[in-house]
Amino acid sequence: MPHSAFTAVAVRARAASTELALATRATKDATLEAMADALLADVGPILAANVADVDAAAASGTPDHLIDRLRLDESRLAAMAQGLRDVAALPDPVGEVLRGSTLANGLQLRQVRVPFGVVGIIYEARPNVTADAAGICLKSGNAVLLRGSSSALQSNTAIVATLRRAAGGSGLPEDVVQLVPGEGHESVKELMRARGLVDVLIPRGGAGLIASVVEESTVPVIETGVGNCHVYVDSAADLDMAERIVLNAKTHRTSVCNAAESLLVHEDVAAEFVPRIVRALQEARVLVHGDASFAACDGVVPATEEDWGTEYLGLEISAAVVPSLDAAIAHIRQHSSAHSDAIVTDSQSHAQRFVAAVDSAAVLVNASTRFTDGGEFGFGAEIGISTQKLHARGPMGLPEMTSTKYVVTGAGHTR
C-alpha cells in the first residue's frame, strides 16, 4: 500500500477531529441516533457483506467458535444499534471540570476533559466492535481510524460506509469514522508508526496482536487485556461461596478476558475443597491442570510450568495448593497478567492484605472475576480493559477516552 494512501486518511481524520472537538453534545447524540437508525435501515447490504466474510472463513477452515464471533444476524445488528443509542444516553465527558481554583494572584484555573483527537483501534474478528468503537470515540470527541482483521473486511467496509453516511447527514464530517486502507500487515505498521497524526492506539484481540502493537508502535498505546485471572480460596473461605465463585468465574463465559484461568487453594482447606471443586469443575466439563495435590484426583492432568501463565479461553484451568496467603500472593504476582484476581475469604485482614499486595487492574473480594466489565461497573460503554498503569487502568469507559487540558483565565495578568 502506498504510504500516501494511509497518510491521506490520517490527515482527514485529524481535520475531522478538530470539527468534532467543537461539536455540542446534542449534535453528537443526534449523530449516534442517526447511526443506529442507519444500521437498521442497511440490514440487507450489511448482512450480505457478512455472509461473504463468513463463507470465506468457513472455506479456509476457520474454527467454528471464530466463525461465530464473525457472524452477524438481525438480532446482533439490532444490538449494535442499541449500543449506539446507549452511548448517546451516557453523560458527555468532554468539558467536565476535574478541578478548579482561584490562585492567590486572582487567576482562574480549571482542569477540563478534552478529546485525545485521533484514536486508532486495531482489532480482530468481531465486526460489532466497528460500531461500538466508532460510537464511543465519537461521543468522547475523537475521530477514529479502524483496522479490523481481513476476515471481517467486507462486513467492516459495509458498516463503516453506513456510519459515515449517517455522520455526514447529521452535520459532522464523514471522516470522523474511517477504515484504514489496505489488508496486509503493512497497513497496520503504517497506523502504528503514525506518531503526530494518531494520538493514541488501542489494540483489542489476542496476546499476539497486543504484544506486537505494544512492541512495534511509535504511537502511544493503551494496552488492553490479556487475562490470566486467578481465584484464591483462602483458609478462612466459605467453601460454598468459593465453589459458586470458581464455577462462575471459569464457566460463565470461557472465551473472555475476565474468565478465571487459575485456581489457588490454601492447604488448610485443601483436603475438603480440592476433591469437591474438582468434581464440580469436571461436571462442567472443565479440564483441570493441577499440581501434585490436585493431580491426586482422577481426571486431573499434571500441570506444567507453562500452565501457570496460560490464558486458556476455554474449558481448562490450572490449579495449585499453596501453604499461605503470602504464597498465593507471590504466585499471582509472578504469573498474573494484572487483569483481575480474586480472593474468597471471611477474614477482613486477609482480604486487606490481598488487596494491597496484588498489583492488578481489578482485585475482587468474594466476587467472581467476571464482574470486571464496564457494563457491570456501571460505566455503560467500554472500549476495552486496560492492564497497564498509565492514564487508564481497568474497564475504559467514555472518561478514559479523554485527556485533560488546563484553562487559565486572567484579567490582564502578567508575570
Side-chain angles (χ1 to χ4, degrees), residues 3-20:
H3 177 80
S4 58
F6 172 81
T7 301
V9 165
V11 168
R12 292 202 304 271
R14 176 64 67 192
S17 73
T18 302
E19 287 193 51
L20 185 56

Side-chain angles (χ1 to χ4, degrees), residues 32-193:
L32 291 167
E33 293 284 354
M35 286 177 165
D37 291 341
L39 286 177
L40 298 180
D42 288 355
V43 60
I46 291 173
L47 293 187
N50 182 250
V51 166
D53 283 334
V54 169
D55 287 349
S60 67
T62 303
D64 289 345
H65 73 282
L66 293 179
I67 290 178
D68 181 64
R69 293 174 63 183
L70 178 62
R71 181 178 286 112
L72 294 176
D73 54 28
E74 289 195 21
S75 65
R76 290 185 177 184
L77 203 60
M80 289 163 58
Q82 185 58 49
L84 292 171
R85 300 191 203 282
D86 292 343
V87 172
L90 292 171
D92 188 343
V94 177
E96 178 188 356
V97 178
L98 299 184
R99 57 181 171 178
S101 63
T102 302
L103 303 182
N105 61 7
L107 280 174
Q108 302 286 324
L109 181 68
R110 290 178 297 136
Q111 184 187 21
V112 299
R113 290 198 185 279
V114 295
F116 286 123
V118 178
V119 175
I121 300 181
I122 301 174
Y123 56 105
E124 295 175 330
R126 294 182 177 133
N128 64 291
V129 173
T130 303
D132 293 346
I136 292 169
C137 287
L138 188 146
K139 178 76 177 213
S140 54
N142 299 291
V144 64
L145 295 175
L146 298 164
R147 179 52 167 85
S149 57
S150 57
S151 62
L153 179 61
Q154 296 189 66
S155 303
N156 291 338
T157 299
I159 293 167
V160 168
T162 294
L163 299 178
R164 284 170 58 83
R165 189 177 69 253
S170 301
L172 290 177
E174 289 190 354
D175 290 332
V176 294
V177 183
Q178 295 182 83
L179 277 184
V180 173
E183 296 182 52
H185 187 62
E186 192 58 36
S187 65
V188 180
K189 287 185 177 180
E190 292 272 13
L191 178 56
M192 292 192 294
R193 295 169 183 166

